[in-house]
Amino acid sequence: MATAAQAMTALDRLSRAVSAWVDEVRQLTQPDRIHWCEGGEAEASDLTAQLLRSGELQTLDATHFPGCHLARSAPNDVARVEHLTYICTRSRDDAGPNNHWMEPAAAHAKMRELFRGCMRGRTLYVIPYCMGPIDSPLSRCGVEITDSPYVVLNMLIMTRAGRPALARIAREGAFVRGLHSVGELDPERRFIMHFPEELSIESFGSGYGGNALLGKKCHALRIASWQARTEGWLAEHMLIVGLQNPQGETHYVACAFPSACGKTNLAMLIPPQSMPGWRVFTVGDDIAWLHPGSDGRLWAINPESGYFGVVPGTNPQTNRNAYEMIRRDTLFTNVALTADNQPWWEGLTDGKPVIDWQGRPYDPANGPAAHPNSRFTVSARRNPAWSPHSEDARGVPISALVFGGRRREVAPLVYEARNWQHGVLVGASMASETTAAATGKVGVTRRDPMAMQPFCGYNFADYWQHWLKVGAQLQHPPGIYNVNWFRRDAQGKFLWPGYGENLRVLEWMLDRCAGRAGAVESAIGWLPRAQDLDMSGLDVSAGSLQALLSVDPALWRKEVTEVRQYLSQYGARLPAALNAELDAVEKRLGV
Ligand code: OXD
Ligand code: MN
């Protein structure tokens, strides 16, 4: 058992606040050893070697997947657990109807009992990390304490972790505290608690990504959204992508879609052959921190440095960049294996699975070979479309914000909000059919405002008010759009080809922002007419295009009624501007 003095390395002496907290946690959790993460390749290789020895990782076929490994989670620990995720604010109303709430003292007491002695026989890892470029004033730091070396390995990829982050923390004196233990991986003893007023997180009983890599959803969205409101910026569940047109101009777009609706694909979009001269650069695939700039525009950084993406469906046709990216130095979780030890997942046309994600001989009677929420963790720099501007301290300027969801009907392919205030209503009204990224039923439509339903660290009513406030500050606000790549016909067939062809819709948006593209006004906003979209070389019938670009007043009246009912649960806290915008849509729809 290491003494506190032995655990005190030169590194930890850099920050007394961090060491005092580590010592407190050591006394509570009773680890055998303490390891301060310094970052860097050597540390990652040592951890990998250790996990290979213990059997928690296995090496994949080095010819086709050099530097790649497979981890298997416990079969009951494969997704975020929203029903066990809490926001613990002093006042219940500050958490709002969008969150599960627990009183902070009660939550701390509950967690203390779970954490007591839980690291006996284990190593306590201290991971200082920085969300965002290490030298950006927009970045924020945190420290995660965990007993899972798998979590450390992921955090080393997903964040700027180690010595430089600790040096920044020592300089700034402020950091988000995240305490994590896998515990016994017992779903009955699993909780993900957030204390925004204390800038802290306590997570117990799960080793799965969103529950355990605390820099991601817990810090960069739930806690950061709270920090952002106090500091005047926005922490959003958005990808950031740069689109360079054939004239060489690059514009950046940030898009919010619910989990597993193709964010990674859009962030890494491959321009179709019929759009020569276009180039796409990825800044981020999941999270954007948006700041009003001194030039009146909105600027964005990606707080993460890696991707924790959904594997199934990735292939050279759907996303060649992602497919290339995950062929080396990638950590796979819960995929299947082929006979020659290559990773395999549904959506691959080559190879066939012989071992399923749980390590059993593959039998289709047991369900899919790879778990539908199986993941890759990989450094963003492995992406062939990685944008070097991802490291810019001031971020990138945003020309358009895009909301979207997976809707069989109702929402057209694309429409433009009338202005920022209307755009906030468009975001607040978002809905989507659920997917496998969280536990629960798949395929039911649920409201998911700004794709933040599982991630907003405070009352949505206050969050929308904050959005309105940020927008009012911008002299040059980005345009706000809504898209739906998932419209289907009566037979259930997708009307829009999606993937690379989505660039046609993005091109229309950018042309609108530049005042170059036509549109027609509708009750819900501005829509392109068929002639306003570049459809050259695309096989979509005139009938399908018309269906994609139409607004059915009867369906929309029903939609407005549902949105009104949804928003009414926020009571008097709901900004009056949102009700006024909804009334105006209803009026334009007519009765
Ligand atoms: C994710 C999610 O993992 O949104 O990014 O669930
Ligand atoms: Mn996400």
Side-chain angles (χ1 to χ4, degrees), residues 93-134:
D93 282 347
D94 286 344
N98 47 305
N99 281 303
H100 298 295
W101 175 82
M102 203 179 287
E103 196 272 316
H108 280 308
K110 187 179 204 51
M111 297 306 277
R112 204 172 307 119
E113 288 324 302
L114 293 173
F115 280 116
R116 194 178 300 286
C118 73
M119 296 190 191
R120 276 197 197 107
R122 301 182 184 170
T123 300
L124 177 159
Y125 296 90
V126 184
I127 319 166
Y129 63 86
C130 177
M131 300 310 291
I134 193 82

Side-chain angles (χ1 to χ4, degrees), residues 80 216-217 221 237 257-260 263 285-287 455:
R80 288 183 285 101
K216 192 173 182 61
K217 305 299 190 181
L221 288 174
H237 190 202
F257 303 132
S259 305
K263 291 230 310 282
D285 80 324
D286 195 40
I287 300 178
F455 307 122

